[in-house]
Amino acid sequence: MYKVNIGKKILSANEEYALKNSKLLAEQKKLCLNMISSPGSGKTTILTRTINDLKGKIKIGVIEGDIQTDIDAERIRATKAPAVQINTNGACHLSAAQVNNALESLPIRDLDLIFIENVGNLVCPSAFELGENGKIVVLSVAEGDDKPAKYPAIFAKSKAMLINKIDLLDTSGQVDFDLERVKADARKLNKKIAIFPISAKTGKGMSHWYDWLIESVEKLRCP
Amino acid sequence: MYKVNIGKKILSANEEYALKNSKLLAEQKKLCLNMISSPGSGKTTILTRTINDLKGKIKIGVIEGDIQTDIDAERIRATKAPAVQINTNGACHLSAAQVNNALESLPIRDLDLIFIENVGNLVCPSAFELGENGKIVVLSVAEGDDKPAKYPAIFAKSKAMLINKIDLLDTSGQVDFDLERVKADARKLNKKIAIFPISAKTGKGMSHWYDWLIESVEKLRCP
C-alpha cells in the first residue's frame, strides 16, 4: 500500500513535466521521438547515420541520456547536429523534468525533429512519459528473437520498432534470429506498430525509416 | 528528501531478506551467483551449456527472473537441472524476498551451485543485493566496447565478467569490439574482476570459466 502510493506520486510529478514538454512541442509543431532499447542495440549509430543522411531534408537535434559519460553526445556533435547530454548519475531512465531542462538548451525553433536517446534499458524508460510524440523501440538481432514476448511493455507502447544489425543475419549465419517471429510477436502486442529491419552500419533498410520520419514531420505540420 | 528516505526503506527491507538468503546459503555451504546483463547477452545459453558441460562435476540449480513468460526456465529444465521461474510482472529487477521464496522451492541440499539469472537490465539489478556470494556481469560483443565506461556500477561490483559471443569477432569481421579496451576499462573499475571471453554457442573459452566455477565451489567448502 505504502509502495503503491509512492509510485503514483513520482509518476504524477513526472507527468506534470511531460505535459509541459508536450505543450511546448505542440505549440512549435516539433516532432519529438523517445528512443528506447537495451544498451548496445545501436541507438547512437542509428542517430548519427539518420542525421547525416537527412541533411538538407530534416533538421534534427538530440537529447542524450546516459548514466555517466558524454561519449554519445560527442558522437552526435561530430555530425554538427545540436546535442544536449543528460547524465542521470545512476538513475535507470530519463525524467520529464530532465528533458524539460534539455529542451531549453536546444535551438528548438531551428529544428524539425528532436530525438531523445534514453538510458540503455528495455524496462524502466517505458514507464516514464517525457512529453514525446512517440516512442521508438530498437532491438538488435544479436539480442535474440524472444524479446517482444519477454519485455512486452515497450513493444506495446511504441510507434515504431527498428530491428537493427540485420547485416549480421546476411553474412555471418551465426546469429539465430527469426525476423518473422519478432514481427508477429510485436504486432500481437501492438497492431499499429511500424517495423523497420535496418542496418545502421551498412545503410540497408534505412530509406524506409527515413520516409516514415519525413512523413511524420509533415503530418505534424499539416495534420 | 521524501524520495531519498523511501529509497532507503526499500533497500533496507530488501537487505533483511538478502541477509536471510546469505545465512541460509552459508549454513549449507552453497555457492550462489547472481548473473546480470542486458537482455539478449546470452545468459540462458551460457547457463544451459555450463550445466550440460559440468554434469558429473558440479550440481547446478537455477532461479530464473523474468518480467513475463517462463521461456528461460523451460530452457534450463530441458537440461534436467532444477529451475524455479520468478515473474516480476513488470518490475525491472529481482528482490531478495523473491529469491528467498525461490530458494525454498529448490532442492538446495542436493546442489553445489545456484545461479540466479536476473531480469535483463544492466542498471537496476546491480543496486539490489540478493544474498548471493557474488555477481557475474555478462556483456555480449554485439553490445559494443563502451559499456563498462557507460554503465560502471555493475562492473565495479562483479566478481567476474563474461564477454560472450566472441565467435562474432572471429568470423564475421562485422562487429567492432576492442577486447583489450573492455578489459582495461573493467579493471579500472574493479582490480580483482575475473574476465572470461567466451562463446556459449561454440564453446570457445568456456573451460576457463568452468575452472573458475569449480575452484569457487571448492573454496567455499574448504576455505
Side-chain angles (χ1 to χ4, degrees):
Chain A
M1 178 66 169
Y2 192 45
K3 272 165 71 186
V4 171
N5 282 341
I6 289 151
K8 254 193 171 169
K9 274 218 169 173
I10 292 171
L11 264 188
S12 299
N14 190 71
E15 277 167 359
E16 271 178 39
Y17 273 103
L19 200 64
K20 272 190 197 177
N21 296 343
S22 150
K23 275 184 188 165
L24 174 75
L25 293 161
E27 276 164 17
Q28 303 206 27
K29 295 196 175 184
K30 305 297 180 185
L31 184 67
C32 179
L33 298 174
N34 179 8
M35 203 172 244
I36 295 174
S37 82
S38 298
S41 67
K43 293 186 292 302
T44 317
T45 306
I46 292 169
L47 289 178
T48 54
R49 185 161 198 134
T50 300
I51 291 165
N52 283 325
D53 288 351
L54 290 179
K55 267 179 190 166
K57 291 178 185 160
I58 296 183
K59 280 169 282 178
I60 298 174
V62 179
I63 297 171
E64 275 295 338
D66 278 294
I67 290 176
Q68 293 201 9
T69 78
D70 60 352
I71 297 172
D72 288 353
E74 285 306 312
R75 288 174 63 193
I76 299 292
R77 284 181 198 127
T79 68
K80 307 278 162 65
V84 177
Q85 179 78 52
I86 300 170
N87 278 331
T88 65
N89 297 314
C92 56
H93 64 273
L94 286 175
S95 71
Q98 289 169 326
V99 169
N100 192 263
N101 272 336
L103 283 172
E104 285 178 11
S105 308
L106 275 180
I108 301 181
R109 273 175 207 284
D110 304 336
L111 300 172
D112 302 307
L113 166 58
I114 296 129
F115 277 110
I116 302 168
E117 185 180 338
N118 221 309
V119 177
N121 184 329
L122 203 56
V123 185
C124 315
S126 71
F128 292 83
E129 297 299 319
L130 303 178
E132 72 272 18
N133 300 92
K135 293 178 177 61
I136 310 291
V137 61
V138 183
L139 179 68
S140 126
V141 299
E143 294 166 39
D145 52 21
D146 55 359
K147 295 304 165 289
K150 289 178 65 184
Y151 301 87
I154 183 58
F155 295 91
K157 287 182 180 180
S158 291
K159 286 219 168 150
M161 164 166 69
L162 301 180
I163 305 174
N164 193 25
K165 307 194 189 180
I166 56 166
D167 53 298
L168 292 176
L169 298 179
D170 293 344
T171 56
S172 77
Q174 288 195 286
V175 175
D176 302 317
F177 187 89
D178 183 341
L179 201 58
E180 297 312 313
R181 176 191 170 184
V182 168
K183 287 181 182 176
D185 282 358
R187 288 194 175 119
K188 252 186 252 168
L189 295 162
N190 180 346
K191 269 187 202 171
K192 289 185 177 175
I193 195 167
I195 301 178
F196 303 103
I198 59 164
S199 166
K201 189 163 188 174
T202 67
K204 191 171 175 182
M206 295 292 280
S207 64
H208 303 292
W209 159 241
Y210 298 155
D211 290 345
W212 186 85
L213 285 177
I214 291 168
E215 200 187 317
S216 301
V217 167
E218 282 171 359
K219 258 193 205 162
L220 197 76
R221 275 194 204 131
C222 319
Chain B
M1 180 65 167
Y2 191 46
K3 271 164 72 184
V4 172
N5 281 342
I6 288 153
K8 253 193 170 170
K9 274 220 167 169
I10 291 170
L11 264 187
S12 299
N14 190 71
E15 277 166 0
E16 272 178 39
Y17 273 103
L19 201 64
K20 272 191 198 178
N21 296 344
S22 153
K23 276 184 189 166
L24 174 74
L25 292 162
E27 277 165 15
Q28 304 205 25
K29 295 196 175 186
K30 305 298 181 184
L31 184 67
C32 179
L33 298 172
N34 179 8
M35 203 172 244
I36 295 175
S37 82
S38 299
S41 67
K43 292 185 294 302
T44 316
T45 306
I46 291 168
L47 289 177
T48 53
R49 187 164 195 131
T50 300
I51 291 165
N52 283 326
D53 288 351
L54 290 179
K55 267 179 190 164
K57 290 177 185 161
I58 296 183
K59 280 169 281 178
I60 298 174
V62 179
I63 297 172
E64 275 296 336
D66 279 294
I67 290 176
Q68 293 201 6
T69 78
D70 60 351
I71 297 172
D72 289 353
E74 284 306 313
R75 288 174 63 194
I76 299 293
R77 284 181 199 129
T79 68
K80 306 278 160 68
V84 177
Q85 178 79 51
I86 300 170
N87 278 330
T88 65
N89 297 315
C92 55
H93 63 274
L94 285 176
S95 72
Q98 289 168 328
V99 169
N100 192 263
N101 271 335
L103 283 171
E104 286 177 11
S105 308
L106 274 180
I108 302 181
R109 274 175 206 284
D110 303 336
L111 301 173
D112 302 306
L113 167 56
I114 297 130
F115 277 111
I116 301 168
E117 184 180 339
N118 220 310
V119 176
N121 184 329
L122 203 56
V123 185
C124 314
S126 71
F128 292 83
E129 297 299 318
L130 303 179
E132 71 272 20
N133 300 90
K135 293 177 177 61
I136 310 291
V137 60
V138 184
L139 178 68
S140 126
V141 299
E143 294 167 39
D145 52 22
D146 56 359
K147 295 304 165 290
K150 290 177 66 183
Y151 301 86
I154 183 58
F155 295 90
K157 287 183 180 179
S158 291
K159 287 220 168 152
M161 164 165 69
L162 301 180
I163 305 174
N164 193 25
K165 307 195 189 180
I166 56 168
D167 54 297
L168 293 177
L169 299 178
D170 292 345
T171 55
S172 77
Q174 288 195 287
V175 174
D176 302 320
F177 187 90
D178 182 341
L179 201 58
E180 296 311 312
R181 176 191 169 183
V182 167
K183 287 180 183 177
D185 282 358
R187 288 194 175 118
K188 251 185 255 167
L189 295 162
N190 180 345
K191 271 187 201 168
K192 290 185 177 174
I193 195 166
I195 300 178
F196 304 102
I198 59 164
S199 166
K201 189 165 188 173
T202 67
K204 192 170 173 182
M206 295 291 281
S207 64
H208 302 292
W209 159 242
Y210 298 154
D211 290 345
W212 186 85
L213 284 177
I214 291 167
E215 200 186 317
S216 302
V217 166
E218 282 170 0
K219 258 193 204 161
L220 197 76
R221 274 194 206 133
C222 320

